[in-house]
Amino acid sequence: MKNIIFLGALSIALLLTACSDFLTESSQDEVRPSTTTDLEELLLGEGYASRTPIFPYLELLTDNVESNYSDATGQETMLLGGGPVFTWAEDMFEQLQKNNVPWYNSWQNLYHWINGCNVVIDQLPLVTGSEQAKERIKAEALSLRSFYYFMLVNAYAPPYNTENTEANAAPGVPLVLKSTVKDEFPKRSSVAEVYEQIIKDLLEARNLFAKNGPITHNVYTVSPLFVDMLLARVYLYEGKWDEVIKYSSSVIERKPTLLKLRQFYSYDDWQGIVMYDISKGGVYNSGSPELIWGYSVNGEYSAYFMGVNFYIDPGKLPAFTVSKELENKYASNDIRREAYYNAYLVMNGFFPEKHLLVGRKSDNVIQNPTKGMRVAEAYLNRAEVYARKYLLTKDEEMRRLALNDLNTLREARFTDPYVKLDIMDGEELLKACLDERRLEFSFEDHRWFDLRRLGMPALQHTFSIVKGQVQTVRLEKNSSKYVLPIPREVRERNPELDK
């Protein structure tokens, strides 16, 4: 029976041929990697997202973004590009494709990288090299594959249901665990099955990393810290609180340092200007002490967010900006307002007024990623769980621990002197933890996923692409649109996805 590769139009021959500079030819028609070094290079080239964005449009779905009608230079292109996502259109991906918006087919990209990981895992028994090298490569490939499936199942399937586990029998995404499949089309596994596979692979990767001792890695390659951080994230979504504490604590014990933003923040009293040195103070800069792993590239939001030239188009607004609701949540002494965003100016009387345009958490140089994993997540995951435990048990120690993690994070984000939070009410404490997640992780793809796992609340967006014609679009509570549509071009190639 003919074997095919689950990469859409790509085949394994093409995948291996793409790396033919280090592959040996085993027959006239195929090439194969021959050493563990070959597989390392193959994984780097075909298994890592590296500088490719995964979900550059995801923030547009959330309450972190608002839209303005704008006829300023270039803004109509932004409205056309972002409008389908911002209004939760069922054919959003077809419209993005029609408008030539880059990186719109996340499904295809994620399965491409998954197949790259699968090829590497399948080829490991066939190449030369030490057993230690093979196990380390397998740990990397399993870790990456887990991350990609986590992103897929949280975009294209219902959220994991922590209260009614029977609901997790709902269709998830296809679990493709080999680089070749038979002639039949891959069927969707359940949400529960996808989560089970993610955990299984991560625990195996964790054991393989531990078995083979310390490794040398950089912020673009996965590591034991990556595995524990992802385990903490997955268990948070599953509502398995003790596991969240275990793996978040494991990350913090080995990498406790947070970047203290005040070191790079200054205020000019004479001119009344706030300055932040992103070249040294980006939390996603490659040298950031809190960065665990990174991917993507500055400019991934350029199809949706663009500033207005203050002199050419005075008084006009950008098509999409950070929502005023989010902007106003930042306290006046919260440095993240300066450190985490690009801004735009509007006139307020005779004086320019600065507002937040779009997220930006690293300096725009080639070696810096823009998304991934940071130690801040371990602190806030753990704080949320401690707050939930306090709410259930009224155990004072849980309250103290939640506040300790929350204040540790906030102290690194505020100007001096920082006044610690001291919250007695359990509901207020949990809300403070969740609010902090929103402030800390905006434009890192957390907000849409958090909205899903926290009950899929009703949202409302106002949108206008024609002056005077304003459209108010509402996403109802528990709407089916909290599950992204699979692109039509993907569904046409695999009819099983509609079942």
Side-chain angles (χ1 to χ4, degrees), residues 78-191:
M78 304 293 108
L79 290 168
L80 286 170
V85 182
F86 187 72
T87 56
W88 307 291
E90 293 184 2
D91 64 343
M92 63 175 70
F93 295 119
E94 287 67 50
Q95 292 194 54
L96 292 180
Q97 182 182 27
K98 178 182 177 181
N99 290 318
N100 297 313
V101 177
W103 304 309
Y104 74 90
N105 198 334
S106 306
W107 176 285
Q108 180 172 293
N109 288 339
L110 285 162
Y111 274 108
H112 173 87
W113 295 317
I114 286 169
N115 197 70
C117 295
N118 288 340
V119 169
V120 169
I121 293 169
D122 290 348
Q123 292 292 312
L124 276 169
L126 308 177
V127 301
T128 61
S130 70
E131 194 62 26
Q132 183 181 34
K134 291 182 180 182
E135 290 183 344
R136 180 181 53 75
I137 293 168
K138 185 177 183 181
E140 278 191 67
L142 289 171
S143 302
L144 284 168
R145 189 172 74 181
S146 297
F147 177 75
Y148 299 142
Y149 273 124
F150 179 81
M151 300 297 271
L152 278 163
V153 77
N154 280 285
Y156 301 102
Y160 191 94
N161 193 311
T162 59
E163 297 178 357
N164 177 14
T165 54
E166 291 183 3
N168 295 320
V173 297
L175 276 174
V176 183
L177 305 177
K178 293 288 184 180
S179 57
T180 59
V181 295
K182 300 300 182 182
D183 281 338
E184 63 266 18
F185 294 105
K187 297 179 174 61
R188 298 175 76 158
S189 299
S190 70
V191 171

Side-chain angles (χ1 to χ4, degrees), residues 162-288:
T162 59
E163 297 178 357
N164 177 14
T165 54
E166 291 183 3
N168 295 320
V173 297
L175 276 174
V176 183
L177 305 177
K178 293 288 184 180
S179 57
T180 59
V181 295
K182 300 300 182 182
D183 281 338
E184 63 266 18
F185 294 105
K187 297 179 174 61
R188 298 175 76 158
S189 299
S190 70
V191 171
E193 288 169 335
V194 177
Y195 269 82
E196 288 166 8
Q197 187 66 46
I198 291 169
I199 295 293
K200 177 179 179 292
D201 283 353
L202 287 173
L203 292 177
E204 182 179 354
R206 193 174 197 266
N207 289 334
L208 290 171
F209 275 131
K211 176 183 175 183
N212 289 287
I215 64 169
T216 301
H217 69 94
N218 57 49
V219 296
Y220 289 105
T221 56
V222 301
S223 66
L225 281 173
F226 172 103
V227 174
D228 282 2
M229 190 69 265
L230 185 52
L231 278 167
R233 188 186 295 185
V234 175
Y235 284 128
L236 182 71
Y237 283 47
E238 288 189 321
K240 296 179 179 177
W241 308 137
D242 291 338
E243 299 301 307
V244 178
I245 293 171
K246 173 183 175 179
Y247 291 105
S248 296
S249 298
S250 175
V251 171
I252 293 168
E253 286 165 7
R254 288 176 288 168
K255 193 177 177 70
T257 304
L258 293 165
L259 190 68
K260 295 188 181 299
L261 303 187
R262 71 177 67 90
Q263 300 174 75
F264 315 103
Y265 171 90
S266 61
Y267 181 76
D268 188 322
D269 288 311
W270 177 255
Q271 299 184 71
I273 297 175
V274 171
M275 293 174 285
Y276 189 82
D277 187 356
I278 190 70
S279 67
K280 298 177 181 177
V283 290
Y284 272 103
N285 284 359
S286 59
S288 168

Side-chain angles (χ1 to χ4, degrees), residues 313-345:
D313 292 303
K316 296 182 179 180
L317 298 172
F320 295 102
T321 67
V322 173
S323 68
K324 297 303 180 293
E325 187 235 352
L326 173 59
E327 181 177 323
N328 292 333
K329 281 184 174 290
Y330 289 98
S332 59
N333 59 337
D334 190 335
I335 302 170
R336 288 174 294 194
R337 182 184 169 97
E338 305 297 330
Y340 285 6
Y341 298 94
N342 284 328
Y344 67 98
L345 298 175

